[in-house]
Amino acid sequence: MTIRGIAHIAGIFEHPGRELPNLTLAQIHAEVAEGALKDAGLTFGDVDAYYSAGDAPGFGALSMADYLGLDCINIDDTETGGSSYLVHVQHAAQAIAAGHIHVALITLAGNPRTGGASPGGSANVSGAPEQSFESLFGLAVPAGYALAAKRHMYEFGTTSEQLAEIKVAASNHAQHNPEAFLRDVVTIEEVLESPLISDPLHRLDCCVITDGGGALVVVSTEVARSLNRETVKVLGSGTAIKHSDAGRIDLTYTGAVKTGKAAFEEASLDPKDVDYVSIYDSFTITVLISLEDLGFCPKGHGGRFVSEGALCAKTGRLPFNTDGGGLCNNHPGNRGGMTKVIEAVRQLRGEAHPKVQVENCGVALAHGTGGSLALRMGSATLLLGREEV
Amino acid sequence: MTFLPVWEFPINQESKQFWDAAAQNVLLLPRCSDCGFTIFYPRSICPECRSRNLSWIQMSGKGEVYSYTVTRRTSGRFRSHVPFVIAYVQLDEGPRMLTNVVDCDPNNVSIGMRVEVMFESQDEGKAIPRFKPSQ
Ligand SMILES: [Zn+2]
């Protein structure tokens, strides 16, 4: 069963807040849900499927469906960290293709900036079988990505300057986003001069920590045709996991090796067909490795590929994260997948900021990475297109 | 000596032999008696062939750095212990294990560097396996 062209993203909403000390997590979920449904021209009563991930409080989607008064026949709590929401889009598309549902609501909310759990601490999931063998050594999130970056540099000669190019491009885009958490354009030198967090990653190689959230509404073709709003088609999808493989971990690649291949095959497209990419940017290295694994350049060539402003809108060969991404704009709940889909939809609708809007943007790729590159991770890729594509 | 922080970490029936051996300054890992695969982290099932026919094998404790990072800023328990090195050490027996590289200047660690296990004794008879540069 293919989902090509069967599901459509009809509503998107990114919470404008970056510090939300006076809202509960449930309130943020409700606000983004309301925003995305309104964007689609739908109501809570139209929703027959609801998806959320580990950020949803209490019993996850069940608690939130109760809170919002949803009457759903399809619920999904798939949790793969920041990539969860792209997985949810795939699952929604599959449920639509099977004829089970017509309107799926997907929400994300988080408040790590003003009240939630600290993202920098060691993972400490009680009862996890790996627990005694990881956090014991002081492995915080940045260190896990730093281990991957260090190995990439060793094997392929990737440099800190090349990683910095990714942040520079994101900052060039963020200057045009009035809601971005960091709006200042930075230079390669400024990235390299920012303090080292975990070698080789500097502070400016790391994403921002923000409160906020986002939501998506995925609908059937029948519903899409009934709406006044411009929708975009789901052309292809891929999801995969990668883990420590009982001691054989290879830090140089991610699950994107599988998800990119699957998504391009389902969409019958190639990387050269893509006009815009949203690539999850928890850290600069996340982007570089993902671009290689998705097939935009050969393995090991990511450093050269991102150089000389290649990722900048208007001038570069592959515009990325035109909202400023997680590196500058927003990283709600330490989970960046949701905003990746949102900006891809904006680009396809022609609703990105004019300074960063890709002309005739027909095909966009959104890619999410969840968990830790060094331990266990979830990858998810969506290919989205304008309805006429 | 090193003084990286440790806390009450969970030991269960699947990991007890690993930690009991560590307290005796021995690095033990399970090896599958059916397919020969050496497993990190320790568990009671072989993730290669799903056999439960495993034996605990003493590792040489020698290996090389597969990747590492010097953490210079962090939060939580390790906050006041920066800079410190986290590494994947590839044991000569095969598995890559997460650990710390200690007893050296963090700036002198490199990928491919030969290292050997040392055990940092803790209260209650526990000991943590970390690695130091080989002599
Ligand atoms: Zn086996």
Side-chain angles (χ1 to χ4, degrees), chain A residues 295-383:
Chain A
F296 287 99
C297 64
K299 177 49 67 185
H301 291 214
R304 270 166 279 168
F305 183 82
V306 302
S307 291
E308 293 166 19
L311 302 179
C312 286
K314 301 294 185 190
T315 54
R317 78 179 107 162
L318 186 67
F320 101 123
N321 297 6
T322 42
D323 61 332
L327 289 169
C328 297
N329 170 30
N330 194 11
H331 194 224
N334 309 320
R335 290 159 171 269
M338 174 65 75
T339 45
K340 296 296 154 293
V341 182
I342 290 173
E343 183 68 3
V345 173
R346 287 194 196 110
Q347 280 287 353
L348 291 167
R349 284 173 166 176
E351 293 176 357
H353 190 282
K355 296 277 192 195
V356 295
Q357 175 67 49
V358 175
E359 274 179 50
N360 301 316
C361 186
V363 174
L365 177 145
H367 180 71
T369 302
S372 173
L373 279 180
L375 296 173
R376 58 198 64 79
M377 59 171 309
S379 296
T381 306
L382 296 174
L383 277 160

Side-chain angles (χ1 to χ4, degrees), chain A residues 103-376:
Chain A
V103 178
L105 171 67
I106 306 166
T107 66
L108 152 73
N111 56 4
R113 181 143 205 100
T114 62
S118 157
S122 298
N124 189 20
V125 182
S126 183
E130 69 274 14
Q131 189 182 357
S132 325
F133 299 97
E134 292 174 2
S135 51
L136 192 59
F137 301 109
L139 187 84
V141 176
Y145 286 77
L147 286 167
K150 202 79 174 180
R151 185 73 197 182
H152 203 278
M153 290 177 161
Y154 175 80
E155 288 200 26
F156 305 116
T158 308
T159 66
S160 290
E161 287 78 3
Q162 290 168 336
L163 290 175
E165 287 260 13
I166 295 165
K167 168 72 176 186
V168 170
S171 76
N172 268 290
H173 301 154
Q175 66 175 318
H176 305 298
N177 181 352
E179 285 162 3
F181 187 73
L182 301 175
R183 292 191 64 193
D184 291 339
V185 175
V186 299
T187 63
I188 290 174
E189 291 69 35
E190 284 169 318
V191 177
L192 300 185
E193 283 162 14
S194 67
L196 278 166
I197 303 295
S198 266
D199 298 8
L201 300 178
H202 304 79
R203 175 169 287 155
L204 294 185
D205 286 298
C206 305
C207 61
V208 299
I209 296 170
T210 53
D211 299 345
L216 305 169
V217 178
V218 184
V219 303
S220 64
T221 302
E222 189 184 325
V223 172
R225 286 189 182 140
S226 74
L227 301 172
N228 292 321
R229 192 74 169 102
E230 183 177 357
T231 60
V232 310
K233 260 192 306 207
V234 180
L235 299 173
S237 65
T239 66
I241 59 164
K242 178 171 172 274
H243 50 61
S244 61
D245 201 14
R248 289 173 296 199
I249 189 160
D250 181 338
L251 291 172
T252 59
Y253 73 96
T254 70
V257 167
K258 290 179 184 167
T259 64
K261 189 169 183 289
F264 281 114
E265 273 179 18
E266 187 168 43
S268 300
L269 294 170
D270 285 329
K272 64 174 164 31
D273 298 317
V274 175
D275 301 309
Y276 164 80
V277 293
S278 283
I279 308 285
Y280 190 11
D281 51 349
S282 47
F283 300 89
T284 50
I285 185 66
T286 322
V287 177
L288 190 142
I289 293 185
S290 298
L291 287 169
E292 293 175 351
D293 292 347
L294 291 167
F296 287 99
C297 64
K299 177 49 67 185
H301 291 214
R304 270 166 279 168
F305 183 82
V306 302
S307 291
E308 293 166 19
L311 302 179
C312 286
K314 301 294 185 190
T315 54
R317 78 179 107 162
L318 186 67
F320 101 123
N321 297 6
T322 42
D323 61 332
L327 289 169
C328 297
N329 170 30
N330 194 11
H331 194 224
N334 309 320
R335 290 159 171 269
M338 174 65 75
T339 45
K340 296 296 154 293
V341 182
I342 290 173
E343 183 68 3
V345 173
R346 287 194 196 110
Q347 280 287 353
L348 291 167
R349 284 173 166 176
E351 293 176 357
H353 190 282
K355 296 277 192 195
V356 295
Q357 175 67 49
V358 175
E359 274 179 50
N360 301 316
C361 186
V363 174
L365 177 145
H367 180 71
T369 302
S372 173
L373 279 180
L375 296 173
R376 58 198 64 79

Side-chain angles (χ1 to χ4, degrees), chain A residues 120-121 129 131-133 135-138 146-147 150-151 154 195 197-199 203 246-251 374-375, chain B residues 7 9-10 18-19 37 40-42 47-48 66-73 75 78 86 88 95-96 98 100 111 129:
Chain A
Q131 189 182 357
S132 325
F133 299 97
S135 51
L136 192 59
F137 301 109
L147 286 167
K150 202 79 174 180
R151 185 73 197 182
Y154 175 80
I197 303 295
S198 266
D199 298 8
R203 175 169 287 155
R248 289 173 296 199
I249 189 160
D250 181 338
L251 291 172
L375 296 173
Chain B
W7 56 96
F9 58 92
F18 177 91
W19 293 110
F37 183 62
F40 185 85
Y41 58 88
E48 187 71 1
Y66 168 72
S67 193
Y68 74 98
T69 179
V70 185
T71 290
R72 298 178 190 274
R73 286 160 193 259
S75 57
F78 280 74
I86 300 171
Y88 268 109
R96 290 171 182 163
L98 199 68
N100 302 113
I111 291 177

Side-chain angles (χ1 to χ4, degrees), chain A residues 3-25:
Chain A
I3 60 167
R4 190 182 199 283
I6 288 170
H8 312 257
I9 299 179
I12 55 171
F13 186 77
E14 180 181 0
H15 202 290
R18 300 293 181 265
E19 295 188 333
L20 303 169
N22 299 318
L23 294 180
T24 65
L25 279 179

